[in-house]
Amino acid sequence: MTGTERDDPLYARLVAYEGRSAATAGTGKDPVNPAMIRHWCEAMGDEHPAYRGPDAVAPPTMLQAWTMGGLSGHTDRSGAYEELSALLDGAGYTSVVATDCEQEYLRPLRPGDEITFDAVIESVSPRKTTRLGTGHFVTTRMDVRAAGELAGTHRFRILKYAPAARPAGPAPGSRDERPKARRPRPVVNRDNAGFWEGVAAHRLLVQRCTACATLRFPWLPGCAECGSRAWDTVEASGAGTVFSYVVMHHPSFPAFDPPYAVGLVELAEGVRMVSNVVGVPYDKVRIGMPVRLEFLRVDEELELPVFRAGGED
Ligand code: ZN
């Protein structure tokens, strides 16, 4: 914390909310039950056998679902969260965006488990300036229990902020006088870092489950077929075909010049990826068109795998 933040009287009032309850002894409206599990699995397209039958468990990612109040809501919320929110509103941080959530699972939930939960305001950050504007991150932690035993935690973070003033734009029609915006950066995390390392080495790497040999793309921590988290990679040959495509006209994004074609390319190995189809006008892209991988140097720090039309050897 810097001296300025320590002396910030608002921040001193905000941190006083750390550790205060956001919901005490909430009770799940329904016990863990097969109907909700089935609806969730159908919505997610998750056919894993662990979620069916007499020994079914609930998908771990349903953790928060068991605590939700539905349309009628919960009546047992504490006022601390609303007070904190009002304090931020009053200081001009009137906008809100959910930034991320993290879950930890300690024990499986099974049909019949009665759910209780407590939520606490875990932390309020010092004032931060982001591209959206300046404000404070507020992290809430919910402990979810079954029969009194901690089953998992759900951390939820928002940014309450004052929107940044929009830079004065050029007059309508003078778009080309603006410096060209850079393409958005990929989000690289521990689950997909290997993919981007491959791209840097001009290799398109596809994950392969070492338990059942199923290929998958995009990169994920586990196999959707068998649930195994063990994997290695295979390098794509670079051959593919356009499986589907759309032509983007609107909305325009500063880094792109519409219209342009976005292709869903099926690699020779069988997985599909979204990319650009290059070397052909946007209105000449066709389903079934053969394409070949190449690496496009976008700017000094970004390279992307793209597909050139007419790429059959
Ligand atoms: Zn597998």
Side-chain angles (χ1 to χ4, degrees):
M1 203 193 293
T2 68
T4 315
E5 283 153 0
R6 204 176 300 115
D7 299 338
D8 177 351
L10 174 67
Y11 183 56
R13 293 178 67 193
L14 297 175
V15 290
Y17 284 86
E18 289 185 351
R20 288 190 59 183
S21 169
T24 307
T27 303
K29 288 207 161 176
D30 297 288
V32 175
N33 64 83
M36 281 173 68
I37 293 172
R38 182 172 59 78
H39 293 160
W40 174 283
C41 289
E42 287 184 1
M44 295 293 172
D46 190 336
E47 298 175 352
H48 198 281
Y51 308 140
R52 295 194 300 265
D55 298 321
V57 296
T61 46
M62 283 188 78
L63 188 67
Q64 189 195 13
W66 307 115
T67 72
M68 288 178 155
L71 285 177
S72 53
H74 282 294
T75 54
D76 46 8
R77 292 302 162 98
S78 91
Y81 197 81
E82 284 70 20
E83 274 175 45
L84 173 62
S85 193
L87 192 56
L88 286 160
D89 285 341
Y93 304 122
T94 52
S95 295
V96 63
V97 61
T99 59
D100 61 296
C101 104
E102 294 167 30
Q103 293 187 332
E104 287 174 68
Y105 313 117
L106 287 98
R107 79 150 187 63
L109 292 174
R110 296 196 154 79
D113 281 335
E114 298 279 352
I115 298 297
T116 54
F117 56 94
D118 300 290
V120 65
I121 299 165
E122 191 171 65
S123 64
V124 184
S125 79
R127 191 171 57 237
K128 303 275 188 191
T129 296
T130 72
R131 267 200 268 184
L132 285 173
T134 294
H136 294 268
F137 289 92
V138 178
T139 305
T140 307
R141 189 191 75 242
M142 183 183 284
D143 292 327
V144 181
R145 295 185 170 79
E149 186 187 351
L150 190 61
T153 64
H154 173 80
R155 270 193 185 75
F156 184 66
R157 192 169 293 116
I158 60 163
L159 173 65
K160 281 283 284 176
Y161 66 100
R166 289 179 186 277
S174 63
R175 185 171 75 137
D176 293 342
E177 290 162 25
R178 251 182 298 177
K180 178 88 174 160
R182 287 162 30 116
R183 279 176 75 139
R185 309 289 101 173
V187 175
V188 181
N189 57 40
R190 63 185 174 186
D191 293 327
N192 69 10
F195 171 75
W196 292 104
E197 286 161 15
V199 169
H202 286 192
R203 301 172 69 210
L204 183 63
L205 298 178
V206 175
Q207 274 180 311
R208 174 173 57 192
C209 172
T210 51
C212 75
T214 302
L215 298 179
R216 63 178 185 263
F217 193 92
W219 282 42
L220 291 167
C223 175
E225 288 299 314
C226 77
S228 170
R229 298 201 298 168
W231 54 271
D232 61 6
T233 59
V234 293
E235 181 175 356
S237 68
T241 53
V242 174
F243 183 82
S244 186
Y245 67 95
V246 293
V247 175
M248 286 294 294
H249 294 270
H250 187 83
S252 61
F253 189 85
F256 299 90
D257 289 318
Y260 54 91
V262 178
L264 179 63
V265 172
E266 183 164 279
L267 302 181
E269 289 76 16
V271 296
R272 295 173 195 151
M273 68 180 287
V274 175
S275 181
N276 290 121
V277 179
V278 301
V280 61
Y282 71 88
D283 57 352
K284 294 290 189 289
V285 175
R286 292 290 179 269
I287 289 171
M289 178 178 267
V291 291
R292 174 154 287 281
L293 172 70
E294 66 180 40
F295 289 89
L296 173 69
R297 162 74 50 198
V298 177
D299 55 42
E300 70 280 3
E301 61 182 32
L302 182 63
E303 268 191 297
L304 292 175
V306 298
F307 290 87
R308 182 164 292 277
E312 250 180 359
D313 282 336

